[in-house]
Amino acid sequence: MDISVGLNCPTCGGAISLPEGETTISCQYCGSALFVEGDQGVTTIAFKNKALKDAAVASTQHWWTHGLKARDLKKVGKINEAYPIYLPFWKTTTRVAGWICGYEERRHTDQKGNVRVEKIPKEVMVLQDYVFSEIACDPGDLGIRTLKNMVGETSFADFDMIPTFEATTSKDAAVTKAKGDALAKARASAHVPHVTFEKLHVFAKALTMIYYPIWVVRYSYRDRMYMDTVDGVTGQVMSGRAPGDPLFQALAVTFGAAGGGLVAAGSIIYAGASYANDVRIAGVGLVVGAVILFLAYRFFRHGSERVQGEFKEKHAGVGDLLKQAQQVSKTLEGLR
Amino acid sequence: MASTKCPKCAAPVPFDTGVKFVKCPYCSSQIYIDRTGAGFYYALPFMVTESDSVGMFKRWAAGSTKAKDLDKLAQLAGVKRQYFPVYMFKRDVNGVEQVLIETAGSTTLPGLHNLKVPAGDLKVFDAAFDTQGAELVKPDIEMTSYLSTLPGKPKEQALVYFPIWKIDYVFNQKKYGVVIDASSGEVFSAEFPTRSSMAYMAVAFIGFLAFIGEGLLATSSLVAGAGLMVVTVIGVFAAALYVSRRM
């Protein structure tokens, strides 16, 4: 079996020039209108890599000095290498059209304290296009999952010289996810709290493969190898890892415990001093203080590495905290 | 670059991975690359050197969930360069394209819970491909054994070798392993020495309780409360700095 299939004009037998992703074409010799069926591929564009290596390195060094990273990172950090890659992204445009009907409730309280609930009917028309983008391969440790910038010069001039990562995910899965995303956004944009009727149509208008240039910058800090990525079009840092600083961790928990504790103490004092002697004020204050403490604790516990971007560890953070809570409860049970 | 024959003029036509339409450089014919009936061999090049992989291991070992100073105290027992095989199938299931990744060998990588093709620049794996001395893990499961059981109709099937650095290390007389994806730099591990959160929680919680007590005390005696707060700020900061540096 042959893996190459020649494409000829069925009318005159001439050669056909057909870009990937197109379905209709006109023969350049006899002018016949032709329709292509079968696996037509996906329209592909590539953005031009505008940032130079020096700009990517400068962007990284500028990024080092912001955001509670190690204070000596600028001095001790050493750029090992910087190279550009092309990352594949699925980009879809999805249209949602239809109606959402329902009502919202408004509460009216008169002077006697009686509460009357008024139902206000709502009927909203939805007609909106949504753009969805997703990386078309496994993101690995790059920390990039979606395309933020859709503006730039498109060119395939650099395509052969820059390593190009291949698409390894399904385009239909990307379209399905885009439709779900567009539907959820359309429902949210209608602002109907209680829905009684809904008729929405979702159309996948366009699917494009975008190859986006990204600089991968690897740098070392005290024998450890870190990495960040710089946008090849805008020149900004897209994602990266950097070492944290114990001083900032200690300051965070100190001021977090102080702030949270004082908020809790203040609410207890206020609850005791007020005429109504409302216990709920103390409860709310304790909760707010605990939340402040928790946020400070989280940075105190995990602030030794600063992460920017769409890494999967961020999503796993809540799971880790639940596991820690279970460990603490087991320890307490053991002590009992 | 793979090569195929032009059906019009029989000239060799090079085509890249992932390309579906290609133009013959001699007679300008358009050619469609039909991958439904052929099995392809791909490989991802190494983009991480050996010293960089050790540095990535040290960065991973310095993480907040690993044992303290694991990056300094772990003794490397071996750094191995390997190519690991997986099968990648693209199928047409009821008109919907599906990408399925299947295991190609009986050996598994530690920490790689879900099989996947890492991000990378796929190259055609042939005699000209430079493996840079990496050990090839041989696939011992035939591709044909999957073809009869997978759903739908075939669109493409490929054996993909992706590059890994296998690092073995010893910590507290126990041996551990870690795998680094040499294409995107991701680190996988099944088991590693962990760090307790008890000291961190103790500092935060005791500080919180101390400040609640001192806030209440300040209502009856402002000077005593404020003085104790200053002492507690210094104490909590010193304890927190010690814990974040040493524990």
Side-chain angles (χ1 to χ4, degrees):
Chain A
M1 181 177 182
D2 212 343
I3 65 168
S4 57
V5 180
L7 303 181
N8 302 318
C9 176
T11 306
C12 68
I16 288 173
S17 265
L18 179 70
E20 191 172 319
E22 298 288 331
T23 53
T24 57
I25 199 171
S26 178
C27 178
Q28 53 179 328
Y29 301 109
C30 67
S32 299
L34 305 171
F35 175 77
V36 182
E37 63 175 3
D39 190 359
Q40 66 210 42
V42 180
T43 304
T44 303
I45 62 175
F47 279 79
K48 189 177 175 60
N49 183 35
K50 284 184 171 278
L52 297 180
K53 183 170 181 173
D54 290 347
V57 168
S59 213
T60 295
Q61 285 166 341
H62 178 79
W63 179 67
W64 284 350
T65 59
H66 292 81
L68 302 175
K69 301 181 178 69
R71 285 164 291 152
D72 56 351
L73 179 50
K74 186 123 191 180
K75 277 182 287 180
V76 179
K78 187 187 136 213
I79 304 273
N80 286 54
E81 66 176 337
Y83 56 89
I85 58 173
Y86 267 115
L87 276 187
F89 289 90
W90 302 114
K91 190 206 119 182
T92 63
T93 306
T94 310
R95 172 167 290 183
V96 183
W99 293 89
I100 301 181
C101 303
Y103 62 91
E104 68 173 287
E105 290 177 343
R106 274 187 210 163
R107 297 176 175 272
H108 302 276
T109 309
D110 55 22
Q111 295 169 6
K112 299 176 183 176
N114 298 321
V115 178
R116 179 174 57 91
V117 179
E118 181 190 6
K119 281 188 178 181
I120 301 174
K122 290 193 83 175
E123 183 178 298
V124 180
M125 184 186 82
V126 175
L127 183 62
Q128 186 72 40
D129 287 353
Y130 296 96
V131 175
F132 175 87
S133 77
E134 188 189 43
I135 195 166
C137 59
D138 182 79
D141 211 44
L142 295 168
I144 300 167
R145 288 168 188 270
T146 55
L147 203 52
K148 300 289 194 291
N149 173 47
M150 302 281 185
V151 180
E153 184 184 343
T154 61
S155 163
F156 278 93
D158 302 322
F159 215 60
D160 292 333
M161 292 174 283
I162 294 176
T164 304
F165 283 24
E166 309 298 336
T168 52
T169 60
S170 161
K171 66 180 196 293
D172 292 325
V175 170
T176 302
K177 201 180 291 188
K179 284 182 174 178
D181 179 77
L183 194 57
K185 281 178 175 157
R187 286 192 183 115
S189 74
H191 301 301
V192 178
H194 305 275
V195 176
T196 55
F197 174 81
E198 180 188 278
K199 185 80 169 182
L200 293 175
H201 304 273
V202 187
F203 311 95
K205 287 179 65 185
L207 173 68
T208 310
M209 165 79 70
I210 293 183
Y211 284 100
Y212 201 87
I214 280 146
W215 282 90
V216 177
V217 182
R218 298 198 196 275
Y219 65 95
S220 59
Y221 172 83
R222 302 189 192 277
D223 289 340
R224 304 183 215 140
M225 186 66 56
Y226 291 85
M227 182 182 82
D228 70 280
T229 61
V230 178
D231 193 313
V233 176
T234 66
Q236 295 174 7
V237 172
M238 298 173 88
S239 68
R241 297 180 186 270
D245 199 305
L247 179 71
F248 297 141
Q249 288 173 270
L251 286 173
V253 75
T254 304
F255 287 106
L262 292 181
V263 163
S267 67
I268 293 170
I269 293 163
Y270 181 81
S274 74
Y275 298 110
N277 199 9
D278 202 339
V279 186
R280 287 179 297 180
I281 295 175
V284 168
L286 274 169
V287 168
V288 170
V291 167
I292 293 170
L293 175 73
F294 173 75
L295 295 175
Y297 166 80
R298 197 168 59 171
F299 182 75
F300 175 45
R301 179 69 182 85
H302 297 294
S304 59
E305 184 176 270
R306 305 293 294 134
V307 172
Q308 172 183 319
E310 294 156 318
F311 292 90
K312 64 187 170 189
E313 281 156 44
K314 282 193 167 182
H315 309 315
V318 179
D320 285 346
L321 293 170
L322 291 178
K323 288 176 186 175
Q324 285 180 23
Q326 288 169 13
Q327 283 177 11
V328 170
S329 62
K330 285 177 184 175
T331 309
L332 294 178
E333 284 177 8
L335 293 176
R336 188 180 305 162
Chain B
M1 278 285 194
S3 183
T4 185
K5 197 187 292 184
C6 176
K8 259 182 162 346
C9 67
V13 181
F15 64 95
D16 205 353
T17 316
V19 167
K20 288 188 165 73
F21 291 92
V22 75
K23 189 187 280 282
C24 178
Y26 300 98
C27 67
S28 298
S29 293
Q30 193 88 17
I31 296 166
Y32 170 74
I33 307 297
D34 184 5
R35 295 179 160 87
T36 57
F40 281 79
Y41 286 74
Y42 298 126
L44 297 164
F46 272 82
M47 297 184 103
V48 176
T49 63
E50 177 168 352
S51 56
D52 281 7
S53 73
V54 171
M56 281 171 186
F57 163 74
K58 285 175 185 281
R59 176 201 67 75
W60 170 86
S64 61
T65 54
K66 320 299 180 300
K68 189 59 186 179
D69 286 339
L70 177 62
D71 55 319
K72 301 187 182 76
L73 302 177
Q75 299 151 33
L76 295 186
V79 184
K80 218 187 298 179
R81 183 199 288 252
Q82 266 185 6
Y83 267 113
F84 191 81
V86 292
Y87 286 124
M88 178 170 68
F89 297 99
K90 285 188 184 178
R91 309 288 291 193
D92 187 338
V93 186
N94 301 323
V96 174
E97 186 193 65
Q98 277 188 21
V99 178
L100 303 160
I101 313 292
E102 300 290 345
T103 177
S106 48
T107 60
T108 56
L109 290 177
L112 195 55
H113 307 115
N114 297 315
L115 264 185
K116 60 178 186 177
V117 173
D121 187 6
L122 281 173
K123 298 295 186 190
V124 172
F125 183 76
D126 50 12
F129 187 83
D130 183 16
T131 56
Q132 300 170 34
E135 174 201 342
L136 275 180
V137 178
K138 296 296 180 184
D140 47 27
I141 301 177
E142 289 284 331
M143 191 190 281
T144 49
S145 66
Y146 284 112
L147 293 176
S148 52
T149 56
L150 288 173
K153 288 175 290 183
K155 289 184 76 174
E156 186 179 344
Q157 41 276 324
L159 175 68
V160 181
Y161 284 102
F162 64 89
I164 58 171
W165 288 100
K166 240 184 166 186
I167 296 183
D168 296 319
Y169 63 99
V170 178
F171 182 78
N172 280 350
Q173 284 89 44
K174 198 176 173 185
K175 199 174 183 184
Y176 300 90
V178 87
V179 167
I180 295 173
D181 165 20
S183 186
S184 76
E186 193 170 4
V187 182
F188 306 95
S189 79
E191 199 185 55
F192 55 83
T194 55
R195 182 194 314 198
S196 171
S197 299
M198 293 304 293
Y200 290 82
M201 289 182 176
V203 168
F205 203 56
I206 291 172
F208 182 66
L209 292 183
F211 278 106
I212 293 181
E214 281 146 24
L216 296 175
L217 176 64
T219 54
S220 53
S221 177
L222 184 63
V223 175
L228 275 179
M229 280 182 203
V230 170
V231 173
T232 308
V233 162
I234 295 169
V236 169
F237 177 76
L241 198 60
Y242 176 82
V243 165
S244 57
R245 281 188 194 273
R246 300 276 175 255
M247 298 182 73

